[in-house]
Amino acid sequence: MIRWTIAAGEEDRELGARWICSNEEELGVPYSWVTVMSSLIYPMEDNGFMIGRDREGRMAAAIAYTLGTLEDKYADRSRVEVHLLFFERRMRHGRPLLKTMRMLADHLMDVPAGVREVVFFARVSESGRKFYGKFAEWKYTSEQPCGRLDFYGTTPERLLEYADRCRT
């Protein structure tokens, strides 16, 4: 089980950043290391950096998202872009992803400004499209400095639906 909290204080932010750095080789993101580190700045400033601890209180997962997207220079805060979602290897089996989807959807539905869309990039792959297509809509593929990436969009409600449907 993962217990999620917003890394709002300096101590939690540092813990999360150091943990991500210690797992650099396993992050599995297509971006350069500089891009990964840069993408943590706004989430930390905007309370969109969440850390997950296991039952013993050890770091086990992290999420970084921003209210707004780079597409419109973060003007539309009803769109959320997830930049990073990482689970320690021992937590990648079973239900942690579904429970995290549920937690994130619940959290985003409570954002005072209201969140209408959750977007994210992923590597181009048939298996990715099949998996992400279960809870998100493929929007387009773009050429980025790190290669071709698919861009997906979904709603907090659809994340919640998927997590609940798979839980049963």
Side-chain angles (χ1 to χ4, degrees):
M1 183 176 114
I2 298 175
R3 185 177 47 84
W4 289 97
T5 57
I6 296 170
E10 193 67 29
E11 188 177 318
D12 281 348
R13 289 176 181 170
E14 182 176 337
L15 174 68
R18 286 180 181 270
W19 183 76
I20 288 170
C21 287
S22 71
N23 285 285
E24 172 198 2
E25 297 294 319
E26 288 194 53
L27 289 180
V29 294
Y31 318 113
S32 69
W33 184 239
V34 171
T35 300
V36 171
M37 297 305 338
S38 296
S39 71
L40 292 179
I41 294 169
Y42 290 117
M44 284 182 181
E45 291 175 356
D46 215 15
N47 288 331
F49 184 47
M50 302 178 80
I51 56 175
R53 292 183 170 96
D54 65 12
R55 291 173 200 232
E56 287 78 40
R58 297 178 305 210
M59 282 292 303
I63 298 174
Y65 70 85
T66 53
L67 294 174
T69 67
L70 185 59
E71 288 177 310
D72 66 359
K73 297 186 172 58
Y74 304 96
D76 182 356
R77 294 174 63 84
S78 71
R79 295 180 76 216
V80 167
E81 183 172 347
V82 175
H83 298 276
L84 177 71
L85 172 59
F86 178 70
F87 293 91
E88 194 173 63
R89 185 176 301 276
R90 66 189 169 92
M91 302 300 280
R92 293 181 197 159
H93 305 287
R95 302 282 182 200
L97 179 61
L98 294 174
K99 288 181 179 180
T100 298
M101 279 183 172
R102 177 171 240 307
M103 177 282 304
L104 184 60
D106 284 339
H107 174 73
L108 294 175
M109 288 192 295
D110 288 340
V111 169
V115 173
R116 66 177 170 80
E117 187 177 30
V118 179
V119 299
F120 59 94
F121 284 97
R123 284 189 173 110
V124 174
S125 74
E126 284 306 310
S127 61
R129 285 182 177 172
K130 183 176 178 183
F131 174 69
Y132 299 126
K134 294 176 182 179
F135 57 85
E137 176 188 340
W138 172 82
K139 303 267 187 177
Y140 60 84
T141 301
S142 65
E143 191 65 42
Q144 302 289 325
C146 59
R148 294 181 62 211
L149 297 177
D150 281 338
F151 187 71
Y152 294 90
T154 190
T155 63
E157 293 82 7
R158 192 164 171 201
L159 287 176
L160 194 58
E161 264 177 36
Y162 178 75
D164 287 345
R165 186 174 61 239
C166 291
R167 198 171 60 169
T168 58

